[in-house]
Amino acid sequence: YEIYIVSASSELYMNHIDCILPVDHILCTECIFFDNTYTGKMGINCKGEEKRRRIKEALGMIPNPKNCVCYGDSPSDASMLELGHKQFLINPRSKALPEKFPNIEIKKWKVKRK
């Protein structure tokens, strides 16, 4: 498997997440730089349908659902979740997705603190 993190979060920190998580690719909201300096502006937010578009762009195609498992946490992840044969909703902030995906598994994840 290849693991993609697809997030609306900024590349300022998402591009460093692979230092702590074993991921293959990170697709996130890009920042706008000028002369190697962050301008304070963001590019297109990697949210909703943009997540699906970025995945297709990264792969050069829409992935085969048989080969794709998707995790999300909000209704804006619906178009991305449709790409997989199996979907998981992690710590959902809304109950809207379970109605759209009747077989979705809902998981509650907690960070274990030492």
Side-chain angles (χ1 to χ4, degrees):
Y1 289 99
E2 286 191 34
I3 300 173
Y4 285 72
I5 290 185
V6 187
S7 175
S9 298
S10 161
E11 72 176 324
L12 290 174
Y13 60 91
M14 288 305 297
N15 284 343
H16 302 283
I17 202 91
D18 59 352
C19 294
I20 57 172
L21 294 175
V23 300
D24 299 299
H25 307 279
I26 300 168
L27 307 175
C28 57
T29 300
E30 297 167 346
C31 299
I32 298 173
F33 292 87
F34 181 75
D35 287 336
N36 274 344
T37 303
Y38 175 51
T39 63
K41 296 182 180 178
M42 306 297 265
I44 297 170
N45 193 351
C46 187
K47 183 177 180 180
E49 191 61 38
E50 181 66 10
K51 287 186 177 188
R52 184 183 183 105
R53 189 193 71 72
R54 297 257 185 108
I55 292 168
K56 179 181 176 185
E57 182 180 277
L59 295 174
M61 63 181 178
I62 292 288
N64 181 337
K66 292 179 186 175
N67 300 326
C68 191
V69 176
C70 298
Y71 297 79
D73 66 356
S74 74
S76 68
D77 291 331
S79 64
M80 178 188 65
L81 289 170
E82 289 173 344
L83 295 174
H85 76 281
K86 186 74 175 158
Q87 300 94 6
F88 294 91
L89 196 56
I90 310 301
N91 299 341
R93 294 176 280 192
S94 167
K95 297 294 181 189
L97 272 177
E99 294 169 7
K100 183 170 183 166
F101 300 92
N103 297 322
I104 197 167
E105 286 190 46
I106 297 175
K107 303 284 186 182
K108 298 287 185 181
W109 287 355
K110 291 182 182 179
V111 175
K112 291 186 178 182
R113 304 200 189 272
K114 294 180 182 180

Tab-separated table of all heavy atoms in Angstrom, residues 2 10 17 20 22 29 36 41 45-46 50 74 80 86 90 96 98 104 107 110-111 113-114:
chain	number	residue	atom	x	y	z
A	2	GLU	N	0.330	2.289	-0.586
A	2	GLU	CA	0.908	3.619	-0.438
A	2	GLU	C	-0.058	4.413	0.419
A	2	GLU	O	-1.278	4.324	0.248
A	2	GLU	CB	1.070	4.305	-1.792
A	2	GLU	CG	2.202	3.738	-2.605
A	2	GLU	CD	2.507	4.597	-3.820
A	2	GLU	OE1	2.373	5.835	-3.741
A	2	GLU	OE2	2.881	4.010	-4.830
A	10	SER	N	-2.239	23.410	6.256
A	10	SER	CA	-1.187	24.092	5.507
A	10	SER	C	0.060	23.239	5.319
A	10	SER	O	0.470	22.499	6.203
A	10	SER	CB	-0.803	25.368	6.263
A	10	SER	OG	0.444	25.837	5.860
A	17	ILE	N	5.137	16.174	8.410
A	17	ILE	CA	4.456	15.128	9.180
A	17	ILE	C	5.096	13.759	8.954
A	17	ILE	O	5.029	12.882	9.807
A	17	ILE	CB	2.941	15.109	8.857
A	17	ILE	CG1	2.145	14.460	9.985
A	17	ILE	CG2	2.629	14.394	7.576
A	17	ILE	CD1	1.665	15.395	11.000
A	20	ILE	N	7.169	12.039	11.616
A	20	ILE	CA	6.592	11.316	12.757
A	20	ILE	C	5.604	10.229	12.348
A	20	ILE	O	5.285	9.372	13.153
A	20	ILE	CB	5.931	12.281	13.767
A	20	ILE	CG1	4.858	13.119	13.097
A	20	ILE	CG2	6.967	13.159	14.435
A	20	ILE	CD1	4.030	13.961	14.046
A	22	PRO	N	4.558	7.293	9.225
A	22	PRO	CA	5.067	6.598	8.034
A	22	PRO	C	4.120	6.755	6.841
A	22	PRO	O	3.315	5.888	6.550
A	22	PRO	CB	5.136	5.143	8.500
A	22	PRO	CG	4.028	5.045	9.503
A	22	PRO	CD	3.974	6.384	10.198
A	29	THR	N	-3.064	21.954	1.616
A	29	THR	CA	-3.215	23.320	1.129
A	29	THR	C	-1.843	23.949	0.975
A	29	THR	O	-1.044	23.948	1.911
A	29	THR	CB	-4.085	24.143	2.097
A	29	THR	OG1	-5.372	23.525	2.175
A	29	THR	CG2	-4.233	25.577	1.624
A	36	ASN	N	11.364	32.830	-1.848
A	36	ASN	CA	11.551	31.899	-0.730
A	36	ASN	C	11.001	32.395	0.596
A	36	ASN	O	11.409	31.935	1.656
A	36	ASN	CB	13.029	31.516	-0.563
A	36	ASN	CG	13.406	30.349	-1.436
A	36	ASN	OD1	12.535	29.647	-1.941
A	36	ASN	ND2	14.687	30.137	-1.610
A	41	LYS	N	-0.219	34.142	2.379
A	41	LYS	CA	-1.391	33.761	1.591
A	41	LYS	C	-1.366	32.263	1.304
A	41	LYS	O	-0.314	31.651	1.202
A	41	LYS	CB	-1.418	34.542	0.279
A	41	LYS	CG	-1.570	36.035	0.507
A	41	LYS	CD	-1.635	36.773	-0.810
A	41	LYS	CE	-1.782	38.263	-0.526
A	41	LYS	NZ	-1.807	39.043	-1.749
A	45	ASN	N	-7.617	25.792	-1.150
A	45	ASN	CA	-7.789	24.955	0.032
A	45	ASN	C	-8.036	23.505	-0.399
A	45	ASN	O	-8.907	23.227	-1.211
A	45	ASN	CB	-8.970	25.472	0.861
A	45	ASN	CG	-9.037	24.866	2.240
A	45	ASN	OD1	-8.315	23.936	2.565
A	45	ASN	ND2	-9.908	25.406	3.062
A	46	CYS	N	-7.269	22.594	0.132
A	46	CYS	CA	-7.401	21.169	-0.184
A	46	CYS	C	-8.535	20.596	0.666
A	46	CYS	O	-8.314	19.903	1.653
A	46	CYS	CB	-6.075	20.441	0.068
A	46	CYS	SG	-6.100	18.737	-0.480
A	50	GLU	N	-11.801	19.308	-3.883
A	50	GLU	CA	-10.378	19.535	-4.183
A	50	GLU	C	-9.532	18.338	-3.745
A	50	GLU	O	-8.533	18.002	-4.383
A	50	GLU	CB	-9.890	20.820	-3.516
A	50	GLU	CG	-8.447	21.156	-3.789
A	50	GLU	CD	-8.116	21.507	-5.238
A	50	GLU	OE1	-9.031	21.691	-6.056
A	50	GLU	OE2	-6.914	21.587	-5.547
A	74	SER	N	-15.062	14.567	8.429
A	74	SER	CA	-16.093	15.591	8.277
A	74	SER	C	-16.882	15.390	6.991
A	74	SER	O	-16.438	14.688	6.079
A	74	SER	CB	-15.452	16.978	8.286
A	74	SER	OG	-14.783	17.224	7.065
A	80	MET	N	-14.037	12.442	-1.325
A	80	MET	CA	-12.824	11.638	-1.199
A	80	MET	C	-13.186	10.222	-0.721
A	80	MET	O	-12.674	9.235	-1.243
A	80	MET	CB	-11.849	12.276	-0.215
A	80	MET	CG	-10.586	11.456	0.001
A	80	MET	SD	-9.527	12.062	1.314
A	80	MET	CE	-10.550	11.832	2.752
A	86	LYS	N	-13.864	0.786	1.032
A	86	LYS	CA	-14.075	0.761	2.479
A	86	LYS	C	-13.820	2.163	3.005
A	86	LYS	O	-12.829	2.794	2.646
A	86	LYS	CB	-13.111	-0.243	3.125
A	86	LYS	CG	-13.314	-0.460	4.579
A	86	LYS	CD	-14.543	-1.288	4.829
A	86	LYS	CE	-14.660	-1.585	6.312
A	86	LYS	NZ	-16.001	-1.914	6.689
A	90	ILE	N	-13.461	8.934	11.340
A	90	ILE	CA	-12.681	8.986	12.571
A	90	ILE	C	-13.070	10.227	13.378
A	90	ILE	O	-12.999	11.344	12.879
A	90	ILE	CB	-11.165	9.036	12.258
A	90	ILE	CG1	-10.770	7.930	11.274
A	90	ILE	CG2	-10.344	8.983	13.538
A	90	ILE	CD1	-11.067	6.526	11.724
A	96	ALA	N	-23.665	13.716	9.547
A	96	ALA	CA	-24.148	13.790	8.165
A	96	ALA	C	-23.596	12.665	7.297
A	96	ALA	O	-24.296	12.135	6.456
A	96	ALA	CB	-23.803	15.144	7.561
A	98	PRO	N	-22.583	9.443	8.040
A	98	PRO	CA	-23.117	8.092	8.179
A	98	PRO	C	-24.409	7.865	7.387
A	98	PRO	O	-24.655	6.783	6.907
A	98	PRO	CB	-23.346	7.946	9.680
A	98	PRO	CG	-22.301	8.818	10.269
A	98	PRO	CD	-22.233	10.009	9.327
A	104	ILE	N	-20.479	2.830	6.529
A	104	ILE	CA	-19.221	3.400	7.000
A	104	ILE	C	-18.985	2.985	8.459
A	104	ILE	O	-19.929	2.893	9.247
A	104	ILE	CB	-19.212	4.933	6.851
A	104	ILE	CG1	-17.791	5.477	6.937
A	104	ILE	CG2	-20.107	5.611	7.871
A	104	ILE	CD1	-17.644	6.922	6.495
A	107	LYS	N	-15.042	5.248	13.977
A	107	LYS	CA	-14.001	4.933	14.957
A	107	LYS	C	-13.744	6.139	15.838
A	107	LYS	O	-13.784	7.272	15.381
A	107	LYS	CB	-12.689	4.548	14.263
A	107	LYS	CG	-12.797	3.381	13.309
A	107	LYS	CD	-12.877	2.091	14.067
A	107	LYS	CE	-12.845	0.919	13.106
A	107	LYS	NZ	-12.964	-0.339	13.790
A	110	LYS	N	-8.102	8.153	20.235
A	110	LYS	CA	-7.592	9.016	21.298
A	110	LYS	C	-6.076	8.971	21.265
A	110	LYS	O	-5.487	7.952	20.937
A	110	LYS	CB	-8.054	8.544	22.676
A	110	LYS	CG	-9.505	8.709	22.946
A	110	LYS	CD	-9.821	8.258	24.372
A	110	LYS	CE	-11.299	8.360	24.648
A	110	LYS	NZ	-11.599	7.916	25.996
A	111	VAL	N	-5.485	10.073	21.634
A	111	VAL	CA	-4.034	10.120	21.763
A	111	VAL	C	-3.704	9.672	23.172
A	111	VAL	O	-4.237	10.200	24.148
A	111	VAL	CB	-3.492	11.545	21.519
A	111	VAL	CG1	-1.999	11.608	21.782
A	111	VAL	CG2	-3.828	11.992	20.103
A	113	ARG	N	-1.415	9.724	26.113
A	113	ARG	CA	-0.357	10.573	26.641
A	113	ARG	C	0.403	9.830	27.715
A	113	ARG	O	-0.163	9.109	28.510
A	113	ARG	CB	-0.941	11.863	27.178
A	113	ARG	CG	-1.745	12.599	26.115
A	113	ARG	CD	-1.906	14.047	26.452
A	113	ARG	NE	-2.841	14.689	25.561
A	113	ARG	CZ	-2.506	15.236	24.412
A	113	ARG	NH1	-1.273	15.202	24.008
A	113	ARG	NH2	-3.407	15.821	23.651
A	114	LYS	N	1.710	10.029	27.721
A	114	LYS	CA	2.541	9.338	28.711
A	114	LYS	C	2.555	10.073	30.012
A	114	LYS	O	2.435	11.223	30.132
A	114	LYS	CB	3.962	9.195	28.173
A	114	LYS	CG	4.006	8.294	26.977
A	114	LYS	CD	5.431	8.182	26.475
A	114	LYS	CE	5.455	7.308	25.236
A	114	LYS	NZ	6.777	7.150	24.703
